[in-house]
């Protein structure tokens, strides 16, 4: 058993996640292999989450390139923590997890709509790559997924059960094809066994996070796999982790001041013992999406950083504390605040509606320089030449921060 401080745990997490590391990712696929699942999201006041997750680990990434990688079948799209892009080599795990889909309501719908589903499948099989706009008629007044036309529902059903895959996206529109034409020949199309799936869940979760407790194993792929394997129960997950420790694959870790039992892959123990010597004093801040892999389960940053985060885009405007789509600010190895931004792409302006600086270090001269560099990198990624700062907290820093971008 290894005993470490919470600061050492944070360093390991950020190193393994590719956010603060001497071995940065060198491609989009490298990001997916490193963190396993890149969550897809629709919100676009700034670049969508899958782009930001990738950019923050691979600075040469260009917005939208993830779809080009998917076209080469290096990545594929399916359910994981949510809808995610994942390395194609992990496809057999997704075949295994199909047993949890669809739900009873969808099964009932599929029985009622069997003829339509068969017709849609035959259309794709005969005509090749198909998007929902090219098949069927859109109902008048269509406003979202809840009133999709029946053919779109059929495409999604066939995707969920594995008869179709998303061949690529254009913009944000999905283009489907039959699985046999999308899945590379060298990729196994058979599901993992339960034993293989259990090993995969643990190894990919700990391999992506660096270390974790039972709850991190339970949630990294969302709760369905652990529910199927261990009924989602702490004692059963920890019993399995203990077996892996005894087999020599895992090491138990104690984090000072924390009660939960933590585990890490044996290969990471050297990193824990040697530490991470990344130069951080001049490293630009990173503006993370709320759906980043270290933030999407809100309990994880609360537990590891005491950073309390809530996404407010689903909260009525008058009830919001910080703003619509708040981006946590990662400064050195700490969460130092949050920022509300909107990219006005046509005008080339990054509007920073509000900045909240929450620790002392980022408010120093050096800290503000890191903040400036990080916001400038973020603006450049969005092809914005100008940066407009509106609200700053604490207010005494308003002029100083505005002058950084004058």
């Amino acid at each position: 058993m290894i005993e470490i401080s919470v600061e050492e745990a944070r360093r390991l997490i950020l190193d393994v996640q590719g956010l603060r590391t001497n071995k940065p990712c060198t491609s989009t696929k490298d990001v997916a292999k490193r963190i396993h699942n890149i969550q897809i999201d629709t919100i676009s006041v700034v670049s969508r989450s899958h782009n930001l997750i990738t950019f923050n680990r691979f600075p040469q990434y260009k917005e939208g390139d993830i779809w080009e990688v998917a076209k080469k079948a290096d990545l594929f799209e399916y359910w994981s923590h949510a809808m995610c892009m994942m390395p194609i080599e992990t496809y057999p795990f997704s075949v295994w997890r199909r047993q949890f889909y669809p739900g009873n309501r969808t099964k009932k719908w599929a029985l009622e709509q069997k003829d339509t589903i068969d017709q849609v499948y035959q259309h794709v099989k005969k005509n090749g790559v198909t998007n929902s706009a090219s098949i069927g008629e859109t109902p008048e007044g269509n406003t979202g997924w809840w009133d999709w036309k029946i053919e779109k529902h059929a495409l999604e059903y066939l995707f969920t059960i594995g008869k179709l895959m998303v061949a690529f996206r254009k913009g944000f529109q999905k283009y489907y094809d039959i699985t046999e034409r999308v899945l590379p020949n060298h990729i196994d199309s058979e599901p993992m066994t339960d034993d293989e799936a259990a090993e995969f869940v643990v190894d990919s979760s700990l391999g992506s996070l660096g270390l974790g407790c039972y709850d991190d194993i339970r949630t990294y792929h969302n709760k369905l796999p652990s529910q199927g394997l261990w009924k989602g129960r702490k004692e059963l997950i920890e019993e399995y982790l203990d077996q892996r420790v005894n087999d020599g694959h895992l090491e138990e870790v104690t984090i000072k001041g924390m009660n939960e039992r933590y585990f890490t892959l044996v290969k990471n123990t050297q990193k824990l013992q040697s530490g991470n010597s990344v130069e951080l004093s001049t490293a630009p801040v990173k503006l993370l999406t709320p759906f980043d892999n270290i933030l999407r389960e809100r309990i994880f940053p609360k537990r590891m950083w005491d950073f309390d985060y809530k996404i407010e885009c689903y909260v009525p405007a008058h009830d919001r504390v910080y703003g619509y789509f708040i981006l946590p600010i990662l400064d050195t190895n700490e969460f130092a605040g949050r920022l509300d931004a909107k990219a006005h792409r046509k005008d080339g302006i990054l509007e920073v509606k509000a900045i909240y600086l929450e620790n002392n270090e980022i408010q120093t001269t050096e800290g503000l320089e890191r903040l400036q560099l990080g916001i400038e990198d973020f603006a450049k990624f969005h092809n914005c030449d100008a940066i407009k700062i509106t609200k700053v907290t604490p207010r005494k820093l308003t002029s100083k921060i505005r002058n950084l971008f004058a």
Side-chain angles (χ1 to χ4, degrees), residues 88-156:
I88 193 67
E89 293 81 4
T90 67
Y91 181 78
F93 176 69
S94 292
V95 181
W96 173 85
R97 75 177 290 155
R98 276 189 213 142
Q99 65 186 287
F100 305 115
Y101 305 110
N104 290 332
R105 181 190 290 183
T106 303
K107 286 179 182 176
K108 181 175 182 292
W109 174 87
L111 286 173
E112 295 169 350
Q113 302 296 335
K114 183 179 183 303
D115 289 346
T116 300
I117 292 169
D118 289 343
Q119 289 168 13
V120 169
Y121 179 75
Q122 292 303 324
H123 174 91
V124 179
K125 187 175 182 179
K126 178 182 177 181
N127 295 285
V129 176
T130 301
N131 68 347
S132 63
S134 66
I135 184 170
E137 294 183 4
T138 302
E140 262 187 58
N142 175 272
T143 56
W145 63 265
W146 51 87
D147 56 0
W148 278 347
K149 59 187 176 183
I150 192 170
E151 291 83 2
K152 170 63 174 173
H153 279 290
L155 287 168
E156 282 295 303

Side-chain angles (χ1 to χ4, degrees), residues 115-380:
D115 289 346
T116 300
I117 292 169
D118 289 343
Q119 289 168 13
V120 169
Y121 179 75
Q122 292 303 324
H123 174 91
V124 179
K125 187 175 182 179
K126 178 182 177 181
N127 295 285
V129 176
T130 301
N131 68 347
S132 63
S134 66
I135 184 170
E137 294 183 4
T138 302
E140 262 187 58
N142 175 272
T143 56
W145 63 265
W146 51 87
D147 56 0
W148 278 347
K149 59 187 176 183
I150 192 170
E151 291 83 2
K152 170 63 174 173
H153 279 290
L155 287 168
E156 282 295 303
Y157 173 79
L158 290 162
F159 164 76
T160 298
I161 66 171
K163 296 192 75 173
L164 300 182
M165 291 180 71
V166 175
F168 58 88
R169 290 197 188 212
K170 189 180 293 183
F172 207 61
Q173 180 76 220
K174 294 181 183 179
Y175 288 76
Y176 306 82
D177 203 351
I178 62 172
T179 296
E180 293 81 356
R181 288 197 290 252
V182 178
L183 189 68
N185 292 332
H186 68 281
I187 299 299
D188 190 356
S189 61
E190 292 299 309
M192 290 182 176
T193 65
D194 285 355
D195 287 345
E196 289 169 337
E199 186 174 324
F200 180 84
V201 168
V202 170
D203 289 358
S204 58
S205 299
L206 296 180
S208 299
L209 288 173
L211 51 74
C213 66
Y214 87 95
D215 195 47
D216 304 319
I217 303 297
R218 191 171 63 94
T219 57
Y220 198 79
H221 295 269
N222 89 15
K223 296 177 182 179
L224 283 177
S226 64
Q227 187 66 37
L229 292 164
W230 304 293
K231 300 179 181 178
R233 290 165 54 186
K234 176 180 179 179
E235 63 271 24
L236 294 180
I237 296 172
E238 289 191 341
E239 181 180 318
Y240 179 77
L241 293 171
D242 285 335
Q243 291 174 13
R244 298 292 304 280
V245 171
N246 292 334
D247 292 342
H249 293 97
L250 302 181
E251 184 81 43
E252 187 168 351
V253 178
T254 297
I255 302 176
K256 296 172 188 174
M258 292 193 180
N259 295 323
E260 292 292 353
R261 300 174 65 200
Y262 283 82
F263 299 83
T264 189
L265 300 178
V266 166
K267 70 178 184 179
N268 283 330
T269 56
Q270 188 175 354
K271 285 186 178 183
L272 274 173
Q273 292 164 342
S274 62
N276 182 3
S277 58
V278 178
E279 174 53 52
L280 296 175
S281 62
T282 59
V285 305
K286 291 182 182 288
L287 306 179
L288 303 185
T289 165
F291 302 110
D292 192 276
N293 296 47
I294 64 170
L295 284 159
R296 61 196 188 187
E297 289 293 328
R298 309 303 181 210
I299 188 62
F300 190 72
K302 177 64 178 172
R303 193 178 350 113
M304 283 295 174
W305 280 272
D306 196 26
F307 184 69
D308 197 0
Y309 179 82
K310 179 180 179 181
I311 190 167
E312 296 186 313
C313 54
Y314 309 114
V315 174
H318 62 271
D319 290 332
R320 291 174 193 149
V321 177
Y322 296 105
Y324 177 74
F325 196 64
I326 291 292
L327 308 174
I329 301 171
L330 180 67
D331 180 44
T332 64
N333 286 331
E334 305 294 331
F335 283 106
R338 54 201 93 201
L339 180 152
D340 187 19
K342 181 174 182 178
H344 300 273
R345 295 167 176 84
K346 289 183 180 179
D347 300 321
I349 298 172
L350 178 69
E351 179 188 6
V352 179
K353 295 183 175 183
I355 302 177
Y356 303 89
L357 303 182
E358 299 171 17
N359 74 13
N360 292 327
E361 189 174 342
I362 198 172
Q363 297 179 39
T364 64
T365 300
E366 294 79 9
L368 292 179
E369 288 174 357
R370 294 192 297 268
L371 178 68
Q372 178 186 1
L373 291 171
I375 292 176
E376 287 174 346
D377 287 346
F378 192 78
K380 184 178 179 182

Side-chain angles (χ1 to χ4, degrees), residues 35-102:
I35 64 175
H36 176 67
N37 46 26
I38 300 172
Q39 189 160 323
I40 300 168
D41 190 62
T42 59
I43 297 172
S44 59
V45 287
V46 291
S47 189
R48 289 187 169 103
S49 287
H50 43 276
N51 292 316
L52 294 181
I53 291 167
T54 309
F55 166 66
N56 276 316
R57 292 161 174 83
F58 173 41
Q60 292 76 34
Y61 176 79
K62 303 298 181 186
E63 190 173 28
D65 277 1
I66 197 166
W67 308 131
E68 297 303 312
V69 178
K71 278 184 183 179
K72 299 173 186 174
D74 285 336
L75 304 178
F76 76 103
E77 179 174 336
Y78 198 66
W79 293 105
S80 182
H81 184 266
M83 189 63 72
C84 294
M85 301 298 293
M86 292 166 284
I88 193 67
E89 293 81 4
T90 67
Y91 181 78
F93 176 69
S94 292
V95 181
W96 173 85
R97 75 177 290 155
R98 276 189 213 142
Q99 65 186 287
F100 305 115
Y101 305 110

